[in-house]
């Protein structure tokens, strides 16, 4: 009998990967499957970024780098944060990590233990809760409500903070809802947080460059009062269509940067060197591919929202960020996970059931519109036909 720690009785996972595996399995059997399940852009990484990695390999970048990342890349991250958020940062506080997910892993490990509470958005990215539970900390869901356009509420968030709260996780633009929290709400939250100086904040801004209808992304980095306790999570995966490269970056406050560096040294030594050079080319090179991708997502967003709202029993708010639609399916009479599974097995459309994103996810499904407009239209037709003839 092997005795692993009890955290493994509680650790969860990301069902989007299980759905992806099943979708691929069905496709392998010759079934026509449209995948609106997994959250990754359907574009190739821009060519100049790929070339930079190839060049780095040819130039002999084959060894370890500094654990926190190569200096020019950390400087480029600081320059990028200045360009996008108007905030000066020290490249010495930047850590290059193997994917955005790793920042949340590190931050939750730093603050989670039995007796500690960690607040996280629900519905939200499933790894937040999974990792909180792994550490033995108590996961406290911050409800993200449809009637609030899937923005978080400053008042509700602040009302959940207690003397046990160590870390508050925020995510805007958000997965799985596409919600973007407006400036007024963020300012209110930041003002309220001044009453809780011992609570650290992890701001997951991985979708920071994907907002629509003129909606601005407000980075928590803008607020001086948080700077000594803010962990910023961002990266290349979504913005530059680089999910498979495993490239993310985080910014740590002075009090945590050395702990973050030590975690890196203990776990992965450094991020793949050629990938870091690709990341450098992404930040310092032309940004038109990013804009083109967001424009394309915007067009598809309208197709998916209009199409969903035309289906009886489904209603869908217009998401203002990321590349997800999160329709309310309560009037179809289906339970969300059963519907997601039936849509994949019977209609050949992969989507994710809301409960995979939290205890408040029942009654919703998530569709990623990172797929061609034609595929999205076909998938919507299939969903409609399925609902018309199905029995629950
Ligand atoms: N944060 C959120 C909210 C996400 O949706 C994702 C990926 O889906 C990540 C972080 C992780 O991104 P990465 O693939 O860079 O690890």
């Amino acid at each position: 009998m092997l005795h692993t720690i009890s955290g493994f009785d509680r650790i969860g996972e990301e069902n989007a990967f299980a759905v992806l595996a099943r979708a691929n399995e069905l496709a392998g059997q010759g079934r026509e499957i449209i995948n609106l399940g997994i959250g990754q852009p359907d574009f190739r990484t821009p060519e100049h970024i790929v070339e930079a990695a190839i060049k780095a390999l040819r130039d002999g970048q084959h060894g370890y780098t500094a654990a926190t990342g190569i200096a020019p890349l950390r400087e480029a991250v600081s320059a990028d944060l200045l360009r996008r958020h108007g905030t000066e940062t020290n490249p010495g506080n930047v850590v290059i990590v193997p994917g955005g997910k790793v920042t949340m892993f590190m931050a939750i490990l730093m603050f989670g233990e039995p007796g500690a509470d960690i607040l996280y958005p629900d519905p939200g990215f499933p790894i937040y809760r999974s990792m909180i539970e792994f550490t033995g900390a108590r996961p406290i869901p911050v409800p993200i409500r449809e009637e609030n356009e899937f923005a978080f509420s400053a008042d509700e968030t602040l009302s959940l903070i207690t003397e046990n709260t160590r870390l508050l996780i925020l995510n805007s633009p958000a997965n799985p809802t596409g919600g973007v929290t407006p400036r007024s709400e963020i300012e209110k939250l930041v003002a309220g947080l001044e009453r809780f100086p011992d609570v650290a904040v992890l701001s997951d801004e991985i979708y920071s460059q994907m907002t629509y209808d003129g909606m601005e992304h407000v980075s928590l980095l803008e607020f001086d009062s948080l700077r000594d306790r803010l962990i910023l999570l961002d990266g290349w995966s979504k913005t530059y269509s680089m999910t498979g490269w495993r490239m993310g970056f985080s910014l740590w406050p002075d009090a945590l940067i050395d702990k973050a560096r030590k975690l890196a040294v203990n776990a992965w030594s450094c991020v793949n060197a050629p990938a870091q050079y690709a990341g450098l080319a992404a930040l310092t090179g032309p940004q038109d591919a990013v804009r083109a991708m967001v424009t394309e997502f915007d067009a598809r967003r309208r197709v998916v929202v209009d199409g969903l709202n035309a289906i009886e029993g489904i209603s869908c708010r217009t998401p203002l960020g990321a590349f997800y639609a999160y329709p309310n399916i309560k009037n179809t009479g289906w339970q969300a996970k059963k519907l997601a599974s039936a849509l994949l097995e019977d209609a050949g459309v992969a989507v994710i059931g809301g409960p995979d994103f939290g205890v408040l996810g029942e009654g919703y499904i998530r569709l990623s519109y990172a797929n061609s407009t034609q595929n999205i239209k076909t998938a919507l037709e299939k969903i409609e036909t399925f609902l018309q003839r199905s029995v629950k």
Side-chain angles (χ1 to χ4, degrees), residues 40-203:
Q40 67 177 337
D42 56 318
F43 297 90
R44 282 173 60 95
T45 303
E47 218 44 45
H48 69 281
I49 301 177
V50 175
E51 287 304 324
I54 295 170
K55 182 172 183 309
L57 275 173
R58 293 232 162 87
D59 289 352
Q61 303 295 349
H62 303 167
Y64 293 124
T65 73
T68 53
I70 56 173
L73 184 55
R74 284 185 281 120
E75 280 156 22
V77 166
S78 270
D80 179 58
L81 294 174
L82 179 62
R83 175 174 66 84
R84 293 194 289 121
H85 308 312
T87 311
E88 299 272 359
T89 53
N90 178 354
N93 290 43
V94 172
V95 180
I96 309 301
V97 282
K101 206 180 233 177
V102 177
T103 301
M104 69 185 76
F105 187 87
M106 297 163 79
I108 296 169
L109 272 188
M110 271 185 210
F111 290 97
E113 64 180 342
D117 286 359
I118 300 185
L119 273 55
Y120 70 101
D122 185 322
F125 191 56
I127 300 305
Y128 304 140
R129 187 186 176 104
S130 167
M131 274 305 298
I132 296 167
E133 294 200 298
F134 179 72
T135 64
R138 196 160 60 127
I140 308 288
V142 176
I144 305 296
R145 301 183 190 280
E146 181 179 3
E147 54 274 24
N148 199 25
E149 300 289 337
F150 295 121
F152 56 77
S153 147
D155 286 337
E156 198 165 13
T157 307
L158 292 165
S159 75
L160 293 167
I161 298 179
T162 68
E163 60 192 8
N164 297 326
T165 309
R166 296 244 181 108
L167 178 68
L168 163 64
I169 304 177
L170 301 168
N171 174 221
S172 175
N175 179 8
T177 60
V180 181
T181 303
R183 176 175 289 278
S184 53
E185 207 61 25
I186 293 183
E187 284 176 349
K188 199 170 171 189
L189 179 78
V190 173
L193 283 173
E194 289 188 24
R195 283 187 280 128
F196 305 103
D198 299 331
V199 175
V201 177
L202 167 63
S203 185

